[in-house]
């Protein structure tokens, strides 16, 4: 019976027997694990909006397309539907700050009613009051403020695209997120200010809403309340489609589903490639040690001990590479998020991603050790000892 500590030392010595080969193999595993984790984090970021959606919030939009607005008069009728607690609204603004490449989300919202529906936007009481008092006031998320250096009291000039003209908004507050996955890369300002301007320059575009956000009491009533809202406007000039906020967000993700699938496929291809490299490394080691395996068998060590040695070495290399890849993932992800700016409002490495990296490393280690183990267990003692010479 070989002591466990001695076995571990023997496995480590075998792994370090060819230092250059081991170093290159571990380096390949680090790159593969890091790439896999980063790609999985990108996928998570793509779905962050949907995953962070409240289950008591519905979104009502034009049934034909999100491009077409809804009348402001719908608000009171939606509020009267049984089960509805509050109604707010928002319009995508789509303006340009200084340069077209400075993209970030901008929404003209219904002020207090909108903020009440989204309590995860944490805003100091004095800043909230200042925002609600100022028709040109705006609030920006912490991440957005950090990226562009916005401070309370700053004037943000925005060149309108959907709503033409040169607009100026005063930063009255900077909000933080209650949860780590709360979007803090958005700018909100008063729809009333935009609407008043539209009444002057383009009256036919006034009193038009992009989407209504509806707060309900019980999530299990979402389907019934959605149907009740839509029935209010059936056969009207602007029929509605009401769905949960998560379904609404997933609708946007589905528009780029091919990209998400592509990224997911690439992440798994990376693992398959390094698995093949690792299997080749272990196969080379097994061929070089056939004489040693034959000697061990001649001394009475069975196939189980040989399998332990080979799988132990394979798993050791895989886990060392994965461990370094996981450690590097956090600073690399942070740097990537900073470089991408507000393109990914939420970009956090999840526990699930780390678990996937560990499982991928274990799979690589196990698969890479199968063929060498079978060969070692079947080696003929006489032929193996002959190969020493």
């Amino acid at each position: 019976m070989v002591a466990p500590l001695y076995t571990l030392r023997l496995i480590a010595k075998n792994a370090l027997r060819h230092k250059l080969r081991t170093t290159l193999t571990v380096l390949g595993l680090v790159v593969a694990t890091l790439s896999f984790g980063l790609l999985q984090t990108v996928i998570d970021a793509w779905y962050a909006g949907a995953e962070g959606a409240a289950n008591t919030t519905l979104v009502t939009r034009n049934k034909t397309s999100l491009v077409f607005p809804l009348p402001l008069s719908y608000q009171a009728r939606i509020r009267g539907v049984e089960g509805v607690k509050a109604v707010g609204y928002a319009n995508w603004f789509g303006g340009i700050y200084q340069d077209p490449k400075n993209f970030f989300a901008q929404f003209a919202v219904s002020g207090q009613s909108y903020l009440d529906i989204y309590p995860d936007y944490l805003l100091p009481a004095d800043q909230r009051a200042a925002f609600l008092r100022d028709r040109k006031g705006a609030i920006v998320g912490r991440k957005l403020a950090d990226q562009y250096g916005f401070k309370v009291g700053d004037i943000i000039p925005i060149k309108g695209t959907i709503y033409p003209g040169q607009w100026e908004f005063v930063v009255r507050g900077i909000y933080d997120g209650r949860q780590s996955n709360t979007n803090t890369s958005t700018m909100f300002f008063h729809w009333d200010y935009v609407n008043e301007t539209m009444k002057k320059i383009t009256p036919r575009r006034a009193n038009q809403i992009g989407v209504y956000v509806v707060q309900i009491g019980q999530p299990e009533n979402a389907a019934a309340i959605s149907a009740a809202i839509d029935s209010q406007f059936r056969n009207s000039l602007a029929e509605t489609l009401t769905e949960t906020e998560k379904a609404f967000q997933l609708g946007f993700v589905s528009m780029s589903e091919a990209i998400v699938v592509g990224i997911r496929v690439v992440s798994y291809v990376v693992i398959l490639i390094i698995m093949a490299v690792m299997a080749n490394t272990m196969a080379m080691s097994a061929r070089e040690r056939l004489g040693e395996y034959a000697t061990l068998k001649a001394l009475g060590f069975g196939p189980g001990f040989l399998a332990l040695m080979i799988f132990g070495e394979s798993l050791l290399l895989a886990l060392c590479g994965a461990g370094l890849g996981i450690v590097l993932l956090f600073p690399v992800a942070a740097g990537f998020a900073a470089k991408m700016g507000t393109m990914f409002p939420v970009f956090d490495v999840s526990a699930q991603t780390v678990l996937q990296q560990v499982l991928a490393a274990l799979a690589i280690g196990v698969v890479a050790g199968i063929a060498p183990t079978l060969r070692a267990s079947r080696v003929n003692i006489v032929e193996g000892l002959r190969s020493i010479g």
Side-chain angles (χ1 to χ4, degrees):
M1 183 69 178
V2 181
L5 184 60
Y6 180 80
T7 303
L8 289 175
R9 290 178 59 189
L10 191 57
I11 290 172
K13 285 186 177 182
N14 281 339
L16 295 173
R17 187 177 299 187
H18 294 282
K19 291 182 174 58
L20 178 60
R21 181 194 298 169
T22 299
T23 301
L24 293 176
T25 302
V26 171
L27 181 61
L29 286 161
V30 170
V31 173
T33 307
L34 176 61
S35 301
F36 177 78
L38 187 60
L39 290 171
Q40 290 298 319
T41 304
V42 169
I43 295 172
D44 290 343
W46 226 291
Y47 286 96
E51 294 302 323
N55 59 4
T56 55
T57 304
L58 306 178
V59 177
T60 298
R61 64 172 179 86
N62 193 298
K63 184 177 181 180
T64 304
S65 171
L66 191 60
V67 174
F68 298 102
L70 295 171
L72 178 61
S73 59
Y74 280 15
Q75 183 183 16
R77 296 175 65 181
I78 294 174
R79 184 66 183 86
V81 174
E82 185 179 356
V84 172
K85 294 179 61 179
V87 181
Y89 47 81
N91 274 40
W92 174 261
F93 192 76
I96 296 172
Y97 173 65
Q98 296 181 340
D99 190 281
K101 68 180 181 181
N102 296 334
F103 170 81
F104 56 86
Q106 308 143 19
F107 287 96
V109 300
S110 56
Q112 181 169 336
S113 62
Y114 190 88
L115 294 180
D116 288 344
I117 293 173
Y118 290 99
D120 283 351
Y121 297 147
L122 301 180
L123 193 64
D126 58 331
Q127 295 183 11
R128 180 186 177 109
F131 166 66
L132 295 177
R133 283 196 305 265
D134 188 356
R135 62 191 291 272
K136 289 189 176 182
I139 58 174
V140 297
R142 180 68 61 183
K143 184 175 182 179
L144 184 62
D146 290 344
Q147 181 175 353
Y148 292 102
F150 295 146
K151 301 182 296 297
V152 174
D154 286 354
I155 296 176
I156 302 178
I158 301 289
K159 181 180 179 181
T161 52
I162 301 174
Y163 298 93
Q166 191 67 32
W167 303 76
E168 289 187 347
F169 303 97
V170 182
V171 178
R172 293 302 182 191
I174 298 174
Y175 71 88
D176 293 289
R178 188 182 302 274
Q179 308 292 337
S180 62
N181 60 350
T182 301
N183 184 349
T184 58
S185 300
T186 304
M187 175 181 177
F188 298 103
F189 42 85
H190 294 285
W191 175 86
D192 286 342
Y193 171 45
V194 177
N195 193 47
E196 288 171 9
T197 306
M198 287 296 101
K199 287 178 181 179
K200 297 175 183 177
I201 62 175
T202 316
R204 62 183 179 82
R205 295 186 61 189
N207 297 330
Q208 300 291 314
I209 301 302
V211 297
Y212 287 97
V213 287
V214 182
Q215 187 179 51
I216 61 176
Q218 302 298 327
E220 58 267 22
N221 297 330
I225 295 174
S226 297
I229 292 173
D230 293 339
S231 67
Q232 291 270 331
F233 311 107
R234 189 169 293 123
N235 299 323
S236 66
L237 292 177
E239 294 187 341
T240 62
L241 174 63
T242 304
E243 56 193 346
T244 62
E245 187 180 23
K246 183 173 184 177
F248 179 75
Q249 296 285 357
L250 288 174
F252 285 99
V253 175
S254 66
M255 297 178 187
S256 54
E257 187 174 5
I259 298 175
V260 177
V261 171
I263 294 174
R264 198 183 298 276
V265 169
V266 169
S267 69
Y268 289 118
V269 167
V270 168
I271 294 300
L272 290 175
I273 291 173
I274 198 62
M275 188 178 290
V277 172
M278 182 73 173
N280 182 63
T281 298
M282 294 307 300
M284 291 174 61
S285 298
R287 284 196 299 270
E288 295 170 355
R289 300 172 189 170
L290 285 178
E292 297 176 20
Y293 296 148
T295 301
L296 289 171
K297 292 181 75 173
L299 292 174
F301 291 95
F305 180 76
L306 298 180
L308 177 63
M309 296 296 296
I310 296 171
F311 275 113
E313 181 180 350
S314 182
L315 288 170
L316 177 63
L317 294 179
L319 292 176
C320 284
L324 290 172
I326 291 170
V327 170
L328 290 174
L329 176 60
F330 291 90
V332 169
F336 181 82
K339 195 72 176 177
M340 298 304 293
T342 57
M343 183 173 180
F344 294 112
V346 178
F347 198 84
D348 295 326
V349 178
S350 67
Q352 183 179 358
T353 296
V354 174
L355 178 60
Q356 287 178 324
Q357 289 176 293
V358 174
L359 293 177
L362 291 174
I364 291 170
V366 171
V367 172
I370 292 175
T373 298
L374 292 175
R375 183 169 186 177
S377 62
R378 295 171 181 172
V379 66
N380 183 276
I381 295 178
V382 175
E383 293 179 357
L385 291 174
R386 189 180 298 161
S387 69
I388 294 177

